[in-house]
Amino acid sequence: MQTTTKRDLCEKIARKTDNTHMVVKKTIQMFLDEIIGELSLGNRIELRDFGVFEIRQRAARKARNPRTGEVAFVPSKNVVVFKVGKLMREKVGNSPQTPPPAQ
């Protein structure tokens, strides 16, 4: 499995659109900033065929420190949840899987 970075995406989009790398980078960063901003306001983001981002509250719970065995209280917190859209599910679900590298 290979990791694709924001820089890699910017370069690919810049080549396809004949825009400069800096213009594409700023556009992508503004898009990501808007998503973060909307989620921080508690709004749900729906990108048709891609997926849905929303905030859910994770309940408070008791946890245990594995080293000491001591019980610790973990407060409730908001987490971002992503639900995959139809097109992505179809494309990714039908793509050939490569086996994980042997260790």
Side-chain angles (χ1 to χ4, degrees), residues 23-52:
V23 169
V24 173
K25 181 180 175 184
K26 285 181 182 178
T27 304
I28 290 174
Q29 190 58 54
M30 284 191 297
F31 176 75
L32 296 174
D33 290 342
E34 285 299 317
I35 289 176
I36 293 168
E38 290 297 317
L39 289 170
S40 69
L41 294 173
N43 296 332
R44 181 176 184 263
I45 307 282
E46 181 177 332
L47 303 170
R48 204 60 67 160
D49 292 329
F50 182 77
V52 176

Side-chain angles (χ1 to χ4, degrees), residues 43-74:
N43 296 332
R44 181 176 184 263
I45 307 282
E46 181 177 332
L47 303 170
R48 204 60 67 160
D49 292 329
F50 182 77
V52 176
F53 294 93
E54 61 186 3
I55 300 292
R56 293 212 184 127
Q57 184 151 21
R58 185 171 290 160
R61 62 187 172 88
K62 290 182 190 176
R64 187 173 302 276
N65 183 329
R67 286 189 183 171
T68 64
E70 181 182 334
V71 174
F73 178 75
V74 179

Side-chain angles (χ1 to χ4, degrees), residues 77-97:
K77 64 180 178 178
N78 291 332
V79 294
V80 177
V81 178
F82 178 74
K83 182 179 175 189
V84 178
K86 182 180 177 182
L87 182 63
M88 186 188 304
R89 183 173 42 252
E90 290 171 357
K91 293 264 185 181
V92 174
N94 293 330
S95 67
Q97 291 288 330

